[in-house]
Amino acid sequence: MTAILTRPNWTTDLELEIFDKLLDQHAPHLPKKRLEEPRPPKTAEERENFYHYRVAGAAHDLFIVQVCAKIIDSFADPELQLFLSRQIGDDGAHAQNTRLRAQAISGQDPIEDIQKQVQKHWDYMGDLPIRNWQGFLAFELHYELHIVALLLINSRTSKINDPDSAKYAAQRILPDEAVHRLGVVDWWQRKFDQASPTEKEDLIVQVLEADEEGQSRRNPYLWDHWLLSQKGIGIEIDELPILYDAWRREVLAYFLDIPVSQLPKLISVSD
Ligand SMILES: [Fe+2]
Ligand SMILES: [Fe+2]
């Protein structure tokens, strides 16, 4: 029997199509592209808030590096190892660039502040990212895919940015992150597509359970982070929690190859 592929490939175009559909449903007044260019932080207070926002960004990337470096040896899957080695290299480079930009703006090396924030990720995520493949997949989903709703909102509505950071993000971070998301999709699909229908049902339950644990672990962080984004780059979007939840459902429905409406009720970022 010839297998019929029903799922479209995961691409950045598909991401935009899904996200813009969610905007139409939940926040039609939000722009589909950037209307106004951001400006650099001006006052001491703005620079301070922007610094904390950048430290959080570097910590997100450095946490990914630390998790992937710990776990890479536990998978006997050379394809996955090659992907993870790229992810480690890229996210390490992103963290380093962000560190240097934060240093240029504040006049101090933020490495200790960054590592303090990385430790907070370890504290709230616990051993989930390195517990087993299910936990690691949930980690990748949360740190690479579920955050896309916020990234897209930022890219369209942020009011403050540093021009050098914006240039690096456009040239390096955006294309790298698209590769990371594809790498996660690819690893998962190699596993899922060869499973039998009964095995698939089992996998779906396991992935949802790990992803839900990730969500409840991340909820307090996400609210803190959104407050930081509001202060640091001027993002003020009331619909952010709704868009976050709806986007996460779309990602999970795609991964598990079931319609969004057939997903069970999931933990909300607002729970
Ligand atoms: Fe990154
Ligand atoms: Fe990444």
Coordinates of all heavy atoms in Angstrom, one line a residue, residues 189-235:
Q189 N 8.8 13.2 13.6 CA 8.1 12.5 12.6 C 8.8 11.2 12.2 O 8.1 10.2 11.8 CB 7.9 13.4 11.3 CG 6.8 14.5 11.6 CD 6.5 15.3 10.4 OE1 7.2 15.4 9.5 NE2 5.4 16.0 10.5
R190 N 10.1 11.1 12.3 CA 10.8 9.8 12.0 C 10.3 8.8 13.0 O 10.2 7.6 12.7 CB 12.3 10.0 12.1 CG 12.8 10.7 10.8 CD 14.4 10.6 10.7 NE 15.0 11.5 11.7 CZ 15.8 11.2 12.7 NH1 16.1 9.9 12.9 NH2 16.3 12.1 13.5
K191 N 10.1 9.2 14.2 CA 9.6 8.3 15.3 C 8.2 7.9 15.1 O 7.8 6.8 15.1 CB 9.8 9.0 16.6 CG 9.6 8.1 17.8 CD 9.7 8.9 19.1 CE 11.1 9.1 19.7 NZ 11.7 7.9 20.1
F192 N 7.3 9.0 14.9 CA 5.9 8.8 14.9 C 5.4 8.1 13.6 O 4.5 7.2 13.7 CB 5.2 10.2 15.0 CG 3.7 10.2 15.2 CD1 3.2 9.7 16.4 CD2 2.9 10.7 14.3 CE1 1.9 9.7 16.7 CE2 1.5 10.7 14.5 CZ 1.0 10.2 15.7
D193 N 6.0 8.4 12.5 CA 5.4 7.9 11.2 C 5.7 6.4 11.1 O 5.0 5.8 10.3 CB 6.0 8.7 10.0 CG 5.4 10.1 9.9 OD1 4.5 10.4 10.7 OD2 5.9 10.9 9.1
Q194 N 6.7 5.9 11.8 CA 6.9 4.4 11.6 C 6.1 3.6 12.7 O 6.2 2.4 12.7 CB 8.4 4.1 11.6 CG 9.1 4.6 12.8 CD 10.6 4.2 12.7 OE1 11.0 3.3 13.4 NE2 11.4 4.9 11.8
A195 N 5.4 4.3 13.6 CA 4.6 3.6 14.6 C 3.3 3.0 14.0 O 2.8 3.6 13.1 CB 4.3 4.5 15.7
S196 N 2.9 1.9 14.6 CA 1.6 1.3 14.2 C 0.5 2.2 14.8 O 0.7 3.0 15.7 CB 1.5 -0.1 14.7 OG 1.3 -0.1 16.1
P197 N -0.8 2.0 14.3 CA -1.9 2.8 14.8 C -2.0 2.7 16.3 O -2.2 3.7 17.0 CB -3.1 2.3 14.1 CG -2.6 1.8 12.8 CD -1.2 1.2 13.1
T198 N -1.8 1.5 16.9 CA -1.9 1.4 18.4 C -0.8 2.1 19.1 O -0.9 2.8 20.1 CB -2.0 -0.1 18.8 OG1 -1.7 -0.9 17.7 CG2 -3.2 -0.4 19.6
E199 N 0.4 1.9 18.5 CA 1.6 2.6 19.1 C 1.4 4.1 19.0 O 1.8 4.8 19.9 CB 2.9 2.2 18.3 CG 3.4 0.8 18.6 CD 4.5 0.3 17.6 OE1 4.6 0.9 16.5 OE2 5.1 -0.7 17.9
K200 N 0.8 4.6 17.9 CA 0.6 6.0 17.8 C -0.3 6.5 18.9 O 0.0 7.6 19.5 CB 0.0 6.3 16.4 CG 1.0 6.5 15.3 CD 0.4 6.9 14.0 CE 1.5 7.1 13.0 NZ 1.1 7.1 11.6
E201 N -1.3 5.8 19.2 CA -2.2 6.2 20.3 C -1.5 6.4 21.6 O -1.7 7.3 22.3 CB -3.4 5.2 20.4 CG -4.5 5.5 19.5 CD -5.6 4.4 19.6 OE1 -5.8 3.9 20.7 OE2 -6.1 4.1 18.5
D202 N -0.6 5.4 21.8 CA 0.3 5.4 23.0 C 1.2 6.6 23.0 O 1.4 7.3 24.0 CB 1.1 4.2 22.9 CG 1.1 3.4 24.2 OD1 0.0 3.4 24.9 OD2 2.2 3.0 24.6
L203 N 1.8 6.9 21.8 CA 2.8 8.0 21.7 C 2.0 9.3 22.0 O 2.6 10.2 22.6 CB 3.4 8.0 20.3 CG 4.5 7.0 20.1 CD1 4.9 7.0 18.6 CD2 5.7 7.1 21.0
I204 N 0.8 9.4 21.4 CA 0.1 10.7 21.6 C -0.2 11.0 23.1 O 0.0 12.1 23.6 CB -1.3 10.6 20.8 CG1 -1.0 10.6 19.3 CG2 -2.2 11.7 21.2 CD1 -2.2 10.4 18.4
V205 N -0.6 9.9 23.8 CA -0.8 10.1 25.3 C 0.5 10.5 26.0 O 0.5 11.4 26.8 CB -1.3 8.7 25.9 CG1 -1.4 8.8 27.4 CG2 -2.7 8.4 25.3
Q206 N 1.6 9.9 25.6 CA 2.9 10.2 26.3 C 3.3 11.6 26.0 O 3.8 12.3 26.9 CB 4.0 9.2 25.8 CG 3.7 7.8 26.2 CD 4.8 6.8 25.6 OE1 5.9 7.2 25.4 NE2 4.4 5.6 25.2
V207 N 3.2 12.0 24.8 CA 3.7 13.3 24.4 C 2.8 14.4 25.1 O 3.3 15.4 25.6 CB 3.7 13.5 22.9 CG1 3.9 15.0 22.5 CG2 4.8 12.7 22.2
L208 N 1.5 14.2 25.0 CA 0.6 15.2 25.7 C 0.9 15.3 27.2 O 0.9 16.4 27.7 CB -0.9 14.8 25.5 CG -1.4 15.2 24.1 CD1 -2.9 14.7 24.0 CD2 -1.4 16.7 23.8
E209 N 1.1 14.1 27.8 CA 1.4 14.2 29.2 C 2.7 15.0 29.5 O 2.7 15.8 30.4 CB 1.5 12.7 29.8 CG 1.5 12.6 31.3 CD 1.7 11.2 31.7 OE1 0.8 10.4 31.5 OE2 2.8 10.9 32.3
A210 N 3.7 14.7 28.8 CA 5.0 15.5 29.0 C 4.8 17.0 28.7 O 5.3 17.8 29.4 CB 6.1 14.9 28.2
D211 N 4.1 17.2 27.6 CA 3.9 18.6 27.2 C 3.1 19.4 28.2 O 3.3 20.6 28.5 CB 3.3 18.7 25.8 CG 3.4 20.1 25.2 OD1 4.5 20.4 24.7 OD2 2.5 20.9 25.4
E212 N 2.1 18.7 28.8 CA 1.3 19.4 29.8 C 2.1 19.6 31.1 O 2.0 20.7 31.7 CB 0.1 18.4 30.2 CG -1.0 18.4 29.2 CD -1.9 19.6 29.2 OE1 -1.5 20.7 28.7 OE2 -3.0 19.5 29.8
E213 N 3.0 18.7 31.4 CA 3.8 18.9 32.6 C 4.7 20.1 32.3 O 4.9 21.0 33.2 CB 4.7 17.7 32.9 CG 5.6 17.9 34.1 CD 6.5 16.7 34.4 OE1 6.2 15.6 34.1 OE2 7.5 17.0 35.1
G214 N 5.2 20.2 31.1 CA 6.0 21.4 30.7 C 5.3 22.7 30.9 O 5.8 23.7 31.4
Q215 N 4.0 22.6 30.4 CA 3.2 23.9 30.5 C 3.0 24.3 32.0 O 3.1 25.5 32.3 CB 1.8 23.6 29.8 CG 1.0 24.9 29.6 CD 1.8 25.9 28.8 OE1 2.3 25.6 27.7 NE2 2.0 27.2 29.3
S216 N 2.6 23.3 32.8 CA 2.3 23.8 34.2 C 3.6 24.2 34.9 O 3.6 25.2 35.7 CB 1.6 22.7 35.0 OG 2.3 21.5 35.0
R217 N 4.8 23.6 34.5 CA 6.0 24.1 35.0 C 6.4 25.5 34.5 O 7.0 26.3 35.2 CB 7.2 23.1 34.7 CG 7.1 21.8 35.4 CD 8.3 20.9 35.0 NE 8.3 19.7 35.8 CZ 9.0 19.6 36.9 NH1 9.6 20.6 37.5 NH2 9.0 18.4 37.6
R218 N 6.0 25.8 33.3 CA 6.5 27.1 32.7 C 5.5 28.2 33.0 O 5.9 29.4 32.7 CB 6.6 26.9 31.2 CG 8.1 26.9 30.8 CD 8.2 26.4 29.3 NE 8.1 27.5 28.3 CZ 9.1 28.4 28.1 NH1 10.1 28.5 28.9 NH2 8.9 29.3 27.2
N219 N 4.3 28.0 33.4 CA 3.3 29.0 33.5 C 3.8 30.3 34.3 O 3.7 31.4 33.8 CB 2.0 28.5 34.1 CG 1.1 27.9 33.1 OD1 1.4 27.9 31.9 ND2 -0.1 27.4 33.4
P220 N 4.3 30.1 35.5 CA 4.8 31.3 36.2 C 5.9 32.1 35.5 O 5.9 33.3 35.4 CB 5.3 30.8 37.6 CG 4.7 29.4 37.7 CD 4.5 28.9 36.3
Y221 N 6.8 31.3 34.9 CA 7.9 32.0 34.1 C 7.3 32.8 32.9 O 7.7 33.9 32.7 CB 8.8 30.9 33.5 CG 9.8 31.4 32.5 CD1 10.9 32.1 32.8 CD2 9.4 31.3 31.1 CE1 11.8 32.7 31.8 CE2 10.3 31.9 30.1 CZ 11.4 32.5 30.5 OH 12.2 33.1 29.5
L222 N 6.3 32.2 32.2 CA 5.8 32.9 31.0 C 5.2 34.2 31.4 O 5.4 35.2 30.7 CB 4.8 32.0 30.3 CG 5.4 30.9 29.5 CD1 4.3 29.9 29.0 CD2 6.3 31.4 28.3
W223 N 4.4 34.2 32.5 CA 3.8 35.5 33.0 C 4.9 36.5 33.3 O 4.8 37.7 33.0 CB 2.9 35.3 34.1 CG 1.6 34.7 33.6 CD1 1.2 33.4 33.7 CD2 0.5 35.4 33.0 NE1 0.0 33.2 33.1 CE2 -0.5 34.4 32.6 CE3 0.3 36.7 32.6 CZ2 -1.6 34.7 32.0 CZ3 -0.9 37.0 32.0 CH2 -1.9 36.0 31.7
D224 N 6.0 36.1 34.0 CA 7.1 37.0 34.4 C 7.7 37.5 33.1 O 8.1 38.7 33.0 CB 8.2 36.2 35.2 CG 7.7 36.0 36.6 OD1 6.7 36.6 37.0 OD2 8.4 35.3 37.3
H225 N 7.9 36.6 32.1 CA 8.6 36.9 30.9 C 7.8 37.9 30.1 O 8.3 38.9 29.5 CB 8.9 35.7 30.1 CG 9.8 36.0 28.9 ND1 11.1 36.4 29.1 CD2 9.5 36.0 27.6 CE1 11.6 36.7 27.9 NE2 10.7 36.4 27.0
W226 N 6.5 37.8 30.1 CA 5.6 38.7 29.3 C 5.6 40.1 29.9 O 5.6 41.1 29.2 CB 4.2 38.1 29.2 CG 4.2 36.9 28.3 CD1 5.2 36.5 27.5 CD2 3.2 35.9 28.2 NE1 4.9 35.3 26.9 CE2 3.6 34.9 27.3 CE3 1.9 35.8 28.7 CZ2 2.8 33.8 26.9 CZ3 1.1 34.7 28.4 CH2 1.6 33.7 27.5
L227 N 5.7 40.1 31.3 CA 5.8 41.4 32.0 C 7.1 42.1 31.6 O 7.2 43.3 31.4 CB 5.7 41.2 33.5 CG 5.4 42.4 34.3 CD1 4.1 43.0 34.0 CD2 5.5 42.0 35.8
L228 N 8.2 41.3 31.6 CA 9.5 41.7 31.2 C 9.5 42.3 29.8 O 10.1 43.3 29.5 CB 10.5 40.6 31.3 CG 12.0 40.8 31.5 CD1 12.2 41.5 32.8 CD2 12.7 39.5 31.5
S229 N 8.8 41.6 28.9 CA 8.7 42.0 27.5 C 8.0 43.3 27.4 O 8.3 44.2 26.6 CB 8.0 41.0 26.6 OG 8.5 39.7 26.8
Q230 N 6.9 43.5 28.2 CA 6.1 44.7 28.2 C 7.0 45.9 28.6 O 7.1 46.9 28.0 CB 5.0 44.5 29.2 CG 3.9 45.5 29.1 CD 2.8 45.3 30.1 OE1 2.5 44.1 30.5 NE2 2.3 46.3 30.7
K231 N 7.8 45.6 29.7 CA 8.7 46.7 30.2 C 9.9 46.9 29.3 O 10.3 48.1 29.1 CB 9.2 46.4 31.6 CG 8.1 46.7 32.6 CD 8.2 46.2 34.0 CE 9.5 46.3 34.7 NZ 9.5 45.8 36.1
G232 N 10.4 45.8 28.8 CA 11.7 45.9 28.0 C 11.6 46.4 26.6 O 12.4 47.1 26.1
I233 N 10.5 45.9 25.9 CA 10.4 46.3 24.5 C 9.0 46.8 24.1 O 8.7 46.9 22.9 CB 10.8 45.1 23.5 CG1 9.9 43.8 23.9 CG2 12.2 44.7 23.7 CD1 10.1 42.7 22.8
G234 N 8.2 47.1 25.1 CA 6.9 47.7 24.9 C 5.8 46.9 24.2 O 5.0 47.4 23.5
I235 N 5.8 45.6 24.5 CA 4.8 44.7 24.0 C 3.6 44.8 25.0 O 3.7 44.5 26.2 CB 5.2 43.2 24.0 CG1 6.4 43.1 23.1 CG2 4.1 42.3 23.6 CD1 6.1 42.9 21.7

